[in-house]
Amino acid sequence: MTDHPDLFGLAADVPAPKPLYPANLPEDWKAALHDEFAAPYFYALKDFLVEERREQTIYPPAPDVFNALRYTPLGNVKVMILGQDPYHGPGQAHGLSFSVRPGVRIPPSLRNIYKELTDDIPGFVAPRHGYLRSWADQGVLLLNAVLTVRAGQANSHQGKGWEQFTDAVISAVNAQPERVVFILWGSYARKKKKLITGKQHVIIESGHPSPLSEKLFFGTRPFSQANAALEQAGRTPVQWQLPEQVSEEG
């Protein structure tokens, strides 16, 4: 009977698909997302991206797609800031939501984030760059709901499988026993609120920092609120001040 298919149409002796782990992924993310990396939808997403990169310019570059997870291990996450999809201009996206590479012009949404930080965090000085790696290194998960995009075509990779994967990332963070502060800006991010069920966590939501909705963002003080919630739970607050001098390595 071992050669008969099981309930899902697979023969009993057929090995389970191997997970498609990205390079240099922290072990705790591998464990938490094992089923996603081995799922049929993730294999289909990989095939889609291979074809897309053959015919189109895709951002961010392939080695940077999973940087949000690479730079911030699951066990280190204390704040999550959710974006929608990557910047679609040349040289901008590098795998962290709202962040751009050193030397790249600061996008309007990030300029507004800096304006709010200046009002919210005493002594904050807006840097002349938009590279947010130091936040990621401190445990701020800078996650986009969709991790790739065609050049010049916002939202062009929605509905291809990324949302299922990043929902699983959010659920993995929700399952963490220590408090995490989830910062949800705009209606798209706020729809993910249903995935955050842990009573130990704190959700901060407001309008998006985009110039189109900045009036619903300015004055909401998410950064000081996040630090207060972390300190209340005995966790180290985030040093939101960014270094003035940065490189791709730091």
Side-chain angles (χ1 to χ4, degrees):
M1 298 294 289
T2 57
D3 59 344
H4 284 207
D6 69 5
L7 179 62
F8 300 100
L10 296 174
D13 57 352
V14 173
K18 292 182 179 180
L20 297 171
Y21 292 131
N24 302 316
L25 200 70
E27 291 299 321
D28 55 3
W29 280 123
K30 286 183 180 180
L33 301 173
H34 174 277
D35 291 348
E36 308 305 314
F37 289 126
Y41 85 86
F42 198 81
Y43 270 75
L45 176 60
K46 183 265 294 182
D47 292 342
F48 165 75
L49 291 171
V50 168
E51 189 65 24
E52 279 283 278
R53 289 192 186 276
R54 184 177 294 128
E55 299 180 353
Q56 306 284 339
T57 298
I58 303 301
Y59 299 129
D64 292 337
V65 169
F66 292 96
N67 277 348
L69 305 183
R70 200 170 281 128
Y71 295 162
T72 311
L74 176 57
N76 292 2
V77 176
K78 53 189 176 185
V79 175
M80 193 196 77
I81 300 178
L82 184 66
Q84 190 163 351
D85 75 335
Y87 296 121
H88 51 81
Q92 292 180 308
H94 66 103
L96 302 181
S97 63
F98 296 100
S99 180
V100 292
R101 297 179 184 281
V104 175
R105 185 177 181 179
I106 300 170
S109 291
L110 185 52
R111 287 196 179 277
N112 282 344
I113 289 171
Y114 287 172
K115 287 180 183 178
E116 181 63 18
L117 275 160
T118 301
D119 290 339
D120 188 16
I121 301 296
F124 180 86
V125 177
R128 288 173 288 183
H129 64 83
Y131 191 54
L132 306 181
R133 171 72 186 268
S134 72
W135 292 357
D137 290 339
Q138 293 180 70
V140 180
L141 181 62
L142 296 166
L143 182 73
N144 281 314
V146 175
L147 298 188
T148 55
V149 67
R150 280 187 183 183
Q153 299 181 42
N155 306 323
S156 50
H157 282 182
Q158 285 192 8
K160 303 299 182 181
W162 280 129
E163 294 90 343
Q164 184 171 346
F165 176 76
T166 55
D167 279 0
V169 172
I170 296 169
S171 294
V173 176
N174 177 64
Q176 294 302 292
E178 285 196 274
R179 171 169 291 176
V180 175
V181 180
F182 293 83
I183 298 179
L184 308 179
W185 290 327
S187 59
Y188 186 90
R190 293 166 82 173
K191 289 177 183 176
K192 304 296 183 179
K193 185 177 179 178
K194 64 181 182 293
L195 299 172
I196 306 163
T197 59
K199 301 299 185 184
Q200 70 276 29
H201 302 314
V202 170
I203 299 171
I204 298 171
E205 47 186 325
S206 73
H208 195 277
S210 162
L212 297 174
S213 55
E214 61 187 27
K215 291 182 179 178
L216 300 175
F217 172 71
F218 288 141
T220 57
R221 301 189 177 278
F223 308 100
S224 60
Q225 287 190 65
N227 276 354
L230 291 171
E231 289 181 302
Q232 184 184 49
R235 303 201 74 179
T236 305
V238 176
Q239 171 54 259
W240 295 108
Q241 181 63 57
L242 292 153
E244 186 54 51
Q245 302 296 322
V246 293
S247 66
E248 284 287 350
E249 291 73 35

